[in-house]
Amino acid sequence: MQPVLAVERPLMKTLVAEYLATTADLDRKERLNQDRRKQFFLPHFQHLTGITRAWIVSQCVMEVSRQVYDQLEAATPDADKISCDDGWLPLVDRFLIVGHKQPGFVLKSAGEKWGGLELRYRCDPVGLEACRAAEKEAFVASIETCEKCGAPGRLRGKTQWRKTLCDVHADNRYDD
Ligand SMILES: [Zn+2]
């Protein structure tokens, strides 16, 4: 880690929290206004110079948008972020039970990619290991589970048409 970042981190954290608190009533566009953010942070880092100052301020600016989007995702019901078919919902649910026990966990999306279940989420470092294990388990189960109905299935197709389906739902359409 850059030494300056280690030194400035406590102040950055405090200021980001302060910015978020003082702009809580603004709409998102205003809150994320680039100039507004920059002008808020710049005066607090007069003790730094040139590129270092600009870099630290840009880290604060990015952290604000990261947290604003985290809050937005946390406020969106998980169901609205799930785009795979019903057969995989039990796999997503099992993952979410583990995920929501971890600090800072936010589901970003759950959907099908290349025939398998792709889970996107954010979590504090302390819970990452548990999330990754649950994510892997869900993925492994997904490529053996029909995405449509949840019956045992297998990966069909070789190229752009990859889907994990049971014999009934594959209906020869995807067979290789
Ligand atoms: Zn099926």
Side-chain angles (χ1 to χ4, degrees):
M1 191 197 297
Q2 305 254 1
V4 63
L5 189 57
V7 173
E8 299 299 333
R9 181 151 285 175
L11 176 59
M12 293 163 74
K13 237 179 138 174
T14 306
L15 290 172
V16 166
E18 196 180 313
Y19 181 87
L20 290 171
T22 55
T23 59
D25 292 336
L26 295 178
D27 70 34
R28 195 159 69 247
K29 202 174 153 222
E30 282 299 311
R31 211 176 182 196
L32 292 178
N33 179 287
Q34 186 87 4
D35 284 337
R36 182 191 300 276
R37 283 183 286 166
K38 263 195 198 157
Q39 293 317 316
F40 177 87
F41 291 109
L42 268 174
H44 295 282
F45 294 99
Q46 304 277 12
H47 55 288
L48 303 174
T49 51
I51 290 175
T52 308
R53 185 178 174 211
W55 184 71
I56 288 291
V57 167
S58 76
Q59 295 300 308
C60 292
V61 163
M62 281 193 288
E63 180 62 16
V64 165
S65 56
R66 197 182 72 83
Q67 291 203 22
V68 167
Y69 283 108
D70 270 4
Q71 285 171 9
L72 185 70
E73 278 158 3
T76 307
D78 286 344
D80 292 352
K81 304 172 200 161
I82 299 172
S83 61
C84 62
D85 279 328
D86 293 359
W88 284 355
L89 293 183
L91 308 181
V92 177
D93 282 345
R94 232 177 295 157
F95 168 76
L96 288 175
I97 288 168
V98 175
H100 280 298
K101 284 181 188 155
Q102 313 310 319
F105 178 84
V106 177
L107 179 71
K108 296 173 82 174
S109 66
E112 183 271 339
K113 191 180 182 190
W114 311 118
L117 175 60
E118 184 189 52
L119 296 160
R120 293 176 59 243
Y121 56 91
R122 192 167 283 140
C123 167
D124 291 350
V126 64
L128 266 183
E129 199 180 325
C131 284
R132 286 193 182 129
E135 177 190 4
K136 193 178 167 197
E137 197 177 303
F139 175 78
V140 169
S142 76
I143 53 174
E144 298 174 337
T145 304
C146 176
E147 189 188 341
K148 297 266 181 216
C149 72
R154 62 180 176 86
L155 202 51
R156 319 272 170 167
K158 277 179 181 160
T159 50
Q160 63 267 54
W161 295 107
R162 305 205 96 189
K163 274 276 188 193
T164 300
L165 297 167
C166 65
D167 289 342
V168 173
H169 285 112
D171 195 27
N172 295 326
R173 271 174 306 167
Y174 294 96
D175 258 325
D176 38 28

